[in-house]
Amino acid sequence: MESVIVAIDGPSGTGKSSTSRAVAAELGLSYLDTGAQYRAITWWMLTNGIDVDDPGAVAAVCGKPVIESGTDPLAPAISVDGADAAGPIRTREVTSRVSAVSAVPEVRTRITELQRAIAAAAEKGIVVEGRDIGTTVLPGADVKIFLTASRRPVRPVAAAS
């Protein structure tokens, strides 16, 4: 199979991560969780005492952390400055602050460049999931999917006897 880039976009809570990992694993492709990168830079900012409510302060240091994203769909990993950040980026504090950090144009530029480099380096291909992937980050992706889901509850199906 030729190298292929699959972009999976959509709002939060639609199953982008689960779907993307499953597709990548099934097709033998790499996988990239772009949201984890924004969480990682936010975690670094908070850990280093940067006022994330000050866009100028965030912009001034956003190039400092070394963010490395693992691309194994069965064991996605992320590190910042060599430290495993997979757990720390999922805290409430990071979750509540990531929007402020990701809204800074310099952060978006930095992370977008990182995402494009990872996608370009994927030898067999990659499934990249996150917001604005197919429109802004990888507009030339081979396959673009916009995933949505309804909010209505799903009723369990009764087992046959």
Side-chain angles (χ1 to χ4, degrees):
M1 178 166 81
E2 262 183 55
S3 180
V4 62
I5 294 177
V6 178
I8 299 184
D9 199 339
S12 63
T14 58
K16 288 187 307 287
S17 295
S18 300
T19 301
S20 297
R21 283 193 314 269
V23 168
E26 181 68 25
L27 297 177
L29 303 176
S30 296
Y31 161 74
L32 179 61
D33 175 359
T34 63
Q37 294 173 317
Y38 284 103
R39 288 173 167 276
I41 199 164
T42 301
W43 174 69
W44 183 90
M45 299 271 175
L46 294 169
T47 302
N48 287 279
I50 307 303
D51 180 359
V52 297
D53 292 319
D54 178 351
V58 170
V61 298
C62 72
K64 289 187 177 184
V66 176
I67 300 170
E68 294 183 23
S69 300
T71 58
D72 180 347
L74 302 178
I78 189 151
S79 67
V80 180
D81 294 338
D84 179 8
I89 67 169
R90 303 292 175 188
T91 64
R92 277 190 210 160
E93 182 181 24
V94 170
T95 299
S96 69
R97 308 316 301 258
V98 70
S99 290
V101 173
S102 66
V104 175
E106 293 84 353
V107 170
R108 293 202 77 75
T109 297
R110 162 108 197 278
I111 299 298
T112 296
E113 289 170 356
L114 180 60
Q115 293 164 356
R116 287 177 178 156
I118 292 168
E123 291 179 18
K124 293 181 183 177
I126 192 166
V127 177
V128 182
E129 62 99 345
R131 295 190 183 153
D132 302 324
I133 297 305
T135 56
T136 303
V137 179
L138 298 167
D142 301 296
V143 178
K144 296 180 188 181
I145 299 168
F146 189 85
L147 191 62
T148 62
S150 67
R151 295 200 181 267
R152 64 186 167 143
V154 176
R155 292 185 218 170
V157 176
S161 16

PDB file of all heavy atoms in Angstrom, residues 123-151:
ATOM      1  N   GLU A 123       6.028   6.653   7.166  1.00  0.00           N
ATOM      2  CA  GLU A 123       6.403   5.880   5.978  1.00  0.00           C
ATOM      3  C   GLU A 123       5.232   5.159   5.325  1.00  0.00           C
ATOM      4  O   GLU A 123       5.068   5.216   4.109  1.00  0.00           O
ATOM      5  CB  GLU A 123       7.496   4.883   6.340  1.00  0.00           C
ATOM      6  CG  GLU A 123       8.814   5.555   6.659  1.00  0.00           C
ATOM      7  CD  GLU A 123       9.897   4.570   7.037  1.00  0.00           C
ATOM      8  OE1 GLU A 123       9.759   3.365   6.748  1.00  0.00           O
ATOM      9  OE2 GLU A 123      10.894   5.019   7.616  1.00  0.00           O
ATOM     10  N   LYS A 124       4.432   4.455   6.103  1.00  0.00           N
ATOM     11  CA  LYS A 124       3.310   3.706   5.532  1.00  0.00           C
ATOM     12  C   LYS A 124       2.058   4.558   5.407  1.00  0.00           C
ATOM     13  O   LYS A 124       1.151   4.221   4.676  1.00  0.00           O
ATOM     14  CB  LYS A 124       2.992   2.492   6.398  1.00  0.00           C
ATOM     15  CG  LYS A 124       4.077   1.446   6.399  1.00  0.00           C
ATOM     16  CD  LYS A 124       3.651   0.281   7.259  1.00  0.00           C
ATOM     17  CE  LYS A 124       4.748  -0.770   7.336  1.00  0.00           C
ATOM     18  NZ  LYS A 124       4.369  -1.872   8.214  1.00  0.00           N
ATOM     19  N   GLY A 125       2.017   5.636   6.177  1.00  0.00           N
ATOM     20  CA  GLY A 125       0.848   6.491   6.207  1.00  0.00           C
ATOM     21  C   GLY A 125       0.430   6.740   7.640  1.00  0.00           C
ATOM     22  O   GLY A 125       0.984   6.161   8.577  1.00  0.00           O
ATOM     23  N   ILE A 126      -0.566   7.594   7.809  1.00  0.00           N
ATOM     24  CA  ILE A 126      -0.950   8.003   9.156  1.00  0.00           C
ATOM     25  C   ILE A 126      -2.413   8.408   9.193  1.00  0.00           C
ATOM     26  O   ILE A 126      -2.952   8.909   8.209  1.00  0.00           O
ATOM     27  CB  ILE A 126      -0.044   9.165   9.633  1.00  0.00           C
ATOM     28  CG1 ILE A 126      -0.212   9.428  11.131  1.00  0.00           C
ATOM     29  CG2 ILE A 126      -0.255  10.413   8.795  1.00  0.00           C
ATOM     30  CD1 ILE A 126       0.888  10.308  11.718  1.00  0.00           C
ATOM     31  N   VAL A 127      -3.029   8.169  10.330  1.00  0.00           N
ATOM     32  CA  VAL A 127      -4.364   8.677  10.619  1.00  0.00           C
ATOM     33  C   VAL A 127      -4.162   9.790  11.638  1.00  0.00           C
ATOM     34  O   VAL A 127      -3.600   9.569  12.706  1.00  0.00           O
ATOM     35  CB  VAL A 127      -5.286   7.580  11.190  1.00  0.00           C
ATOM     36  CG1 VAL A 127      -6.645   8.173  11.555  1.00  0.00           C
ATOM     37  CG2 VAL A 127      -5.434   6.429  10.205  1.00  0.00           C
ATOM     38  N   VAL A 128      -4.586  10.993  11.284  1.00  0.00           N
ATOM     39  CA  VAL A 128      -4.422  12.163  12.144  1.00  0.00           C
ATOM     40  C   VAL A 128      -5.806  12.630  12.561  1.00  0.00           C
ATOM     41  O   VAL A 128      -6.667  12.848  11.710  1.00  0.00           O
ATOM     42  CB  VAL A 128      -3.682  13.303  11.414  1.00  0.00           C
ATOM     43  CG1 VAL A 128      -3.471  14.492  12.330  1.00  0.00           C
ATOM     44  CG2 VAL A 128      -2.352  12.808  10.860  1.00  0.00           C
ATOM     45  N   GLU A 129      -6.022  12.762  13.868  1.00  0.00           N
ATOM     46  CA  GLU A 129      -7.334  13.185  14.333  1.00  0.00           C
ATOM     47  C   GLU A 129      -7.249  14.438  15.164  1.00  0.00           C
ATOM     48  O   GLU A 129      -6.275  14.659  15.872  1.00  0.00           O
ATOM     49  CB  GLU A 129      -8.020  12.068  15.123  1.00  0.00           C
ATOM     50  CG  GLU A 129      -7.307  11.648  16.373  1.00  0.00           C
ATOM     51  CD  GLU A 129      -7.866  12.247  17.645  1.00  0.00           C
ATOM     52  OE1 GLU A 129      -8.639  13.208  17.608  1.00  0.00           O
ATOM     53  OE2 GLU A 129      -7.491  11.752  18.696  1.00  0.00           O
ATOM     54  N   GLY A 130      -8.273  15.264  15.015  1.00  0.00           N
ATOM     55  CA  GLY A 130      -8.351  16.497  15.773  1.00  0.00           C
ATOM     56  C   GLY A 130      -9.168  17.522  15.021  1.00  0.00           C
ATOM     57  O   GLY A 130      -9.673  17.257  13.935  1.00  0.00           O
ATOM     58  N   ARG A 131      -9.262  18.683  15.615  1.00  0.00           N
ATOM     59  CA  ARG A 131     -10.039  19.748  14.976  1.00  0.00           C
ATOM     60  C   ARG A 131      -9.221  20.448  13.900  1.00  0.00           C
ATOM     61  O   ARG A 131      -8.027  20.628  14.053  1.00  0.00           O
ATOM     62  CB  ARG A 131     -10.485  20.743  16.033  1.00  0.00           C
ATOM     63  CG  ARG A 131     -11.445  20.090  17.013  1.00  0.00           C
ATOM     64  CD  ARG A 131     -12.065  21.090  17.906  1.00  0.00           C
ATOM     65  NE  ARG A 131     -12.914  20.388  18.869  1.00  0.00           N
ATOM     66  CZ  ARG A 131     -13.203  20.845  20.057  1.00  0.00           C
ATOM     67  NH1 ARG A 131     -12.717  21.999  20.445  1.00  0.00           N
ATOM     68  NH2 ARG A 131     -13.981  20.170  20.857  1.00  0.00           N
ATOM     69  N   ASP A 132      -9.875  20.798  12.825  1.00  0.00           N
ATOM     70  CA  ASP A 132      -9.272  21.536  11.703  1.00  0.00           C
ATOM     71  C   ASP A 132      -8.197  20.746  10.961  1.00  0.00           C
ATOM     72  O   ASP A 132      -7.396  21.325  10.231  1.00  0.00           O
ATOM     73  CB  ASP A 132      -8.683  22.877  12.171  1.00  0.00           C
ATOM     74  CG  ASP A 132      -9.711  23.769  12.834  1.00  0.00           C
ATOM     75  OD1 ASP A 132     -10.868  23.742  12.388  1.00  0.00           O
ATOM     76  OD2 ASP A 132      -9.364  24.495  13.783  1.00  0.00           O
ATOM     77  N   ILE A 133      -8.172  19.445  11.114  1.00  0.00           N
ATOM     78  CA  ILE A 133      -7.125  18.633  10.477  1.00  0.00           C
ATOM     79  C   ILE A 133      -7.281  18.648   8.953  1.00  0.00           C
ATOM     80  O   ILE A 133      -6.326  18.909   8.229  1.00  0.00           O
ATOM     81  CB  ILE A 133      -7.138  17.186  11.024  1.00  0.00           C
ATOM     82  CG1 ILE A 133      -6.810  17.194  12.518  1.00  0.00           C
ATOM     83  CG2 ILE A 133      -6.163  16.295  10.256  1.00  0.00           C
ATOM     84  CD1 ILE A 133      -5.506  17.875  12.875  1.00  0.00           C
ATOM     85  N   GLY A 134      -8.467  18.362   8.470  1.00  0.00           N
ATOM     86  CA  GLY A 134      -8.669  18.280   7.028  1.00  0.00           C
ATOM     87  C   GLY A 134      -8.758  19.620   6.323  1.00  0.00           C
ATOM     88  O   GLY A 134      -8.574  19.699   5.116  1.00  0.00           O
ATOM     89  N   THR A 135      -9.018  20.681   7.074  1.00  0.00           N
ATOM     90  CA  THR A 135      -9.167  21.994   6.448  1.00  0.00           C
ATOM     91  C   THR A 135      -7.934  22.869   6.575  1.00  0.00           C
ATOM     92  O   THR A 135      -7.562  23.555   5.633  1.00  0.00           O
ATOM     93  CB  THR A 135     -10.368  22.751   7.062  1.00  0.00           C
ATOM     94  OG1 THR A 135     -10.186  22.832   8.480  1.00  0.00           O
ATOM     95  CG2 THR A 135     -11.678  22.062   6.748  1.00  0.00           C
ATOM     96  N   THR A 136      -7.281  22.831   7.725  1.00  0.00           N
ATOM     97  CA  THR A 136      -6.167  23.740   7.988  1.00  0.00           C
ATOM     98  C   THR A 136      -4.823  23.032   8.074  1.00  0.00           C
ATOM     99  O   THR A 136      -3.859  23.456   7.447  1.00  0.00           O
ATOM    100  CB  THR A 136      -6.412  24.509   9.308  1.00  0.00           C
ATOM    101  OG1 THR A 136      -7.660  25.204   9.192  1.00  0.00           O
ATOM    102  CG2 THR A 136      -5.306  25.500   9.591  1.00  0.00           C
ATOM    103  N   VAL A 137      -4.755  21.960   8.840  1.00  0.00           N
ATOM    104  CA  VAL A 137      -3.469  21.302   9.096  1.00  0.00           C
ATOM    105  C   VAL A 137      -3.009  20.489   7.891  1.00  0.00           C
ATOM    106  O   VAL A 137      -1.879  20.639   7.427  1.00  0.00           O
ATOM    107  CB  VAL A 137      -3.539  20.411  10.362  1.00  0.00           C
ATOM    108  CG1 VAL A 137      -2.206  19.706  10.610  1.00  0.00           C
ATOM    109  CG2 VAL A 137      -3.937  21.239  11.576  1.00  0.00           C
ATOM    110  N   LEU A 138      -3.872  19.625   7.388  1.00  0.00           N
ATOM    111  CA  LEU A 138      -3.513  18.750   6.266  1.00  0.00           C
ATOM    112  C   LEU A 138      -4.581  18.837   5.168  1.00  0.00           C
ATOM    113  O   LEU A 138      -5.271  17.863   4.876  1.00  0.00           O
ATOM    114  CB  LEU A 138      -3.372  17.299   6.760  1.00  0.00           C
ATOM    115  CG  LEU A 138      -2.286  17.069   7.805  1.00  0.00           C
ATOM    116  CD1 LEU A 138      -2.428  15.702   8.447  1.00  0.00           C
ATOM    117  CD2 LEU A 138      -0.911  17.237   7.183  1.00  0.00           C
ATOM    118  N   PRO A 139      -4.710  20.006   4.541  1.00  0.00           N
ATOM    119  CA  PRO A 139      -5.763  20.160   3.533  1.00  0.00           C
ATOM    120  C   PRO A 139      -5.590  19.240   2.328  1.00  0.00           C
ATOM    121  O   PRO A 139      -6.555  18.961   1.620  1.00  0.00           O
ATOM    122  CB  PRO A 139      -5.671  21.632   3.132  1.00  0.00           C
ATOM    123  CG  PRO A 139      -4.292  22.053   3.500  1.00  0.00           C
ATOM    124  CD  PRO A 139      -3.907  21.219   4.692  1.00  0.00           C
ATOM    125  N   GLY A 140      -4.396  18.735   2.106  1.00  0.00           N
ATOM    126  CA  GLY A 140      -4.159  17.823   0.988  1.00  0.00           C
ATOM    127  C   GLY A 140      -4.248  16.354   1.374  1.00  0.00           C
ATOM    128  O   GLY A 140      -3.804  15.489   0.621  1.00  0.00           O
ATOM    129  N   ALA A 141      -4.836  16.057   2.536  1.00  0.00           N
ATOM    130  CA  ALA A 141      -4.956  14.659   2.985  1.00  0.00           C
ATOM    131  C   ALA A 141      -5.658  13.826   1.927  1.00  0.00           C
ATOM    132  O   ALA A 141      -6.555  14.312   1.223  1.00  0.00           O
ATOM    133  CB  ALA A 141      -5.723  14.595   4.298  1.00  0.00           C
ATOM    134  N   ASP A 142      -5.241  12.567   1.821  1.00  0.00           N
ATOM    135  CA  ASP A 142      -5.822  11.659   0.829  1.00  0.00           C
ATOM    136  C   ASP A 142      -7.277  11.324   1.138  1.00  0.00           C
ATOM    137  O   ASP A 142      -8.093  11.157   0.238  1.00  0.00           O
ATOM    138  CB  ASP A 142      -5.004  10.367   0.768  1.00  0.00           C
ATOM    139  CG  ASP A 142      -3.557  10.645   0.402  1.00  0.00           C
ATOM    140  OD1 ASP A 142      -3.315  11.120  -0.719  1.00  0.00           O
ATOM    141  OD2 ASP A 142      -2.673  10.411   1.256  1.00  0.00           O
ATOM    142  N   VAL A 143      -7.578  11.191   2.423  1.00  0.00           N
ATOM    143  CA  VAL A 143      -8.934  10.880   2.868  1.00  0.00           C
ATOM    144  C   VAL A 143      -9.284  11.850   3.987  1.00  0.00           C
ATOM    145  O   VAL A 143      -8.502  12.021   4.921  1.00  0.00           O
ATOM    146  CB  VAL A 143      -9.036   9.422   3.399  1.00  0.00           C
ATOM    147  CG1 VAL A 143     -10.438   9.129   3.905  1.00  0.00           C
ATOM    148  CG2 VAL A 143      -8.614   8.422   2.346  1.00  0.00           C
ATOM    149  N   LYS A 144     -10.446  12.481   3.872  1.00  0.00           N
ATOM    150  CA  LYS A 144     -10.905  13.410   4.907  1.00  0.00           C
ATOM    151  C   LYS A 144     -12.261  12.945   5.415  1.00  0.00           C
ATOM    152  O   LYS A 144     -13.176  12.721   4.621  1.00  0.00           O
ATOM    153  CB  LYS A 144     -11.040  14.822   4.349  1.00  0.00           C
ATOM    154  CG  LYS A 144      -9.743  15.444   3.893  1.00  0.00           C
ATOM    155  CD  LYS A 144     -10.028  16.833   3.366  1.00  0.00           C
ATOM    156  CE  LYS A 144      -8.815  17.440   2.716  1.00  0.00           C
ATOM    157  NZ  LYS A 144      -9.094  18.800   2.234  1.00  0.00           N
ATOM    158  N   ILE A 145     -12.354  12.815   6.723  1.00  0.00           N
ATOM    159  CA  ILE A 145     -13.599  12.377   7.348  1.00  0.00           C
ATOM    160  C   ILE A 145     -13.984  13.406   8.399  1.00  0.00           C
ATOM    161  O   ILE A 145     -13.154  13.802   9.216  1.00  0.00           O
ATOM    162  CB  ILE A 145     -13.425  10.992   8.015  1.00  0.00           C
ATOM    163  CG1 ILE A 145     -13.050   9.948   6.953  1.00  0.00           C
ATOM    164  CG2 ILE A 145     -14.672  10.594   8.787  1.00  0.00           C
ATOM    165  CD1 ILE A 145     -12.572   8.633   7.516  1.00  0.00           C
ATOM    166  N   PHE A 146     -15.240  13.826   8.362  1.00  0.00           N
ATOM    167  CA  PHE A 146     -15.770  14.692   9.414  1.00  0.00           C
ATOM    168  C   PHE A 146     -16.754  13.838  10.183  1.00  0.00           C
ATOM    169  O   PHE A 146     -17.807  13.463   9.672  1.00  0.00           O
ATOM    170  CB  PHE A 146     -16.449  15.935   8.835  1.00  0.00           C
ATOM    171  CG  PHE A 146     -16.810  16.932   9.899  1.00  0.00           C
ATOM    172  CD1 PHE A 146     -15.873  17.859  10.334  1.00  0.00           C
ATOM    173  CD2 PHE A 146     -18.066  16.923  10.485  1.00  0.00           C
ATOM    174  CE1 PHE A 146     -16.179  18.769  11.335  1.00  0.00           C
ATOM    175  CE2 PHE A 146     -18.388  17.834  11.484  1.00  0.00           C
ATOM    176  CZ  PHE A 146     -17.446  18.759  11.910  1.00  0.00           C
ATOM    177  N   LEU A 147     -16.388  13.487  11.405  1.00  0.00           N
ATOM    178  CA  LEU A 147     -17.152  12.550  12.219  1.00  0.00           C
ATOM    179  C   LEU A 147     -18.104  13.311  13.134  1.00  0.00           C
ATOM    180  O   LEU A 147     -17.696  14.246  13.825  1.00  0.00           O
ATOM    181  CB  LEU A 147     -16.176  11.713  13.050  1.00  0.00           C
ATOM    182  CG  LEU A 147     -16.709  10.511  13.786  1.00  0.00           C
ATOM    183  CD1 LEU A 147     -17.279   9.493  12.805  1.00  0.00           C
ATOM    184  CD2 LEU A 147     -15.578   9.865  14.586  1.00  0.00           C
ATOM    185  N   THR A 148     -19.358  12.916  13.119  1.00  0.00           N
ATOM    186  CA  THR A 148     -20.342  13.497  14.030  1.00  0.00           C
ATOM    187  C   THR A 148     -21.039  12.366  14.771  1.00  0.00           C
ATOM    188  O   THR A 148     -20.942  11.200  14.391  1.00  0.00           O
ATOM    189  CB  THR A 148     -21.403  14.336  13.283  1.00  0.00           C
ATOM    190  OG1 THR A 148     -22.116  13.490  12.384  1.00  0.00           O
ATOM    191  CG2 THR A 148     -20.764  15.494  12.541  1.00  0.00           C
ATOM    192  N   ALA A 149     -21.734  12.731  15.818  1.00  0.00           N
ATOM    193  CA  ALA A 149     -22.498  11.749  16.586  1.00  0.00           C
ATOM    194  C   ALA A 149     -23.684  12.463  17.212  1.00  0.00           C
ATOM    195  O   ALA A 149     -23.607  13.639  17.555  1.00  0.00           O
ATOM    196  CB  ALA A 149     -21.627  11.131  17.675  1.00  0.00           C
ATOM    197  N   SER A 150     -24.780  11.739  17.360  1.00  0.00           N
ATOM    198  CA  SER A 150     -25.944  12.335  18.003  1.00  0.00           C
ATOM    199  C   SER A 150     -25.786  12.270  19.520  1.00  0.00           C
ATOM    200  O   SER A 150     -25.024  11.466  20.046  1.00  0.00           O
ATOM    201  CB  SER A 150     -27.218  11.595  17.575  1.00  0.00           C
ATOM    202  OG  SER A 150     -27.204  10.286  18.090  1.00  0.00           O
ATOM    203  N   ARG A 151     -26.511  13.103  20.202  1.00  0.00           N
ATOM    204  CA  ARG A 151     -26.458  13.143  21.657  1.00  0.00           C
ATOM    205  C   ARG A 151     -27.563  12.304  22.294  1.00  0.00           C
ATOM    206  O   ARG A 151     -27.653  12.219  23.492  1.00  0.00           O
ATOM    207  CB  ARG A 151     -26.558  14.579  22.152  1.00  0.00           C
ATOM    208  CG  ARG A 151     -25.372  15.395  21.726  1.00  0.00           C
ATOM    209  CD  ARG A 151     -25.252  16.604  22.615  1.00  0.00           C
ATOM    210  NE  ARG A 151     -24.128  17.412  22.218  1.00  0.00           N
ATOM    211  CZ  ARG A 151     -22.911  17.300  22.737  1.00  0.00           C
ATOM    212  NH1 ARG A 151     -22.662  16.411  23.643  1.00  0.00           N
ATOM    213  NH2 ARG A 151     -21.947  18.081  22.321  1.00  0.00           N
TER     214      ARG A 151
END
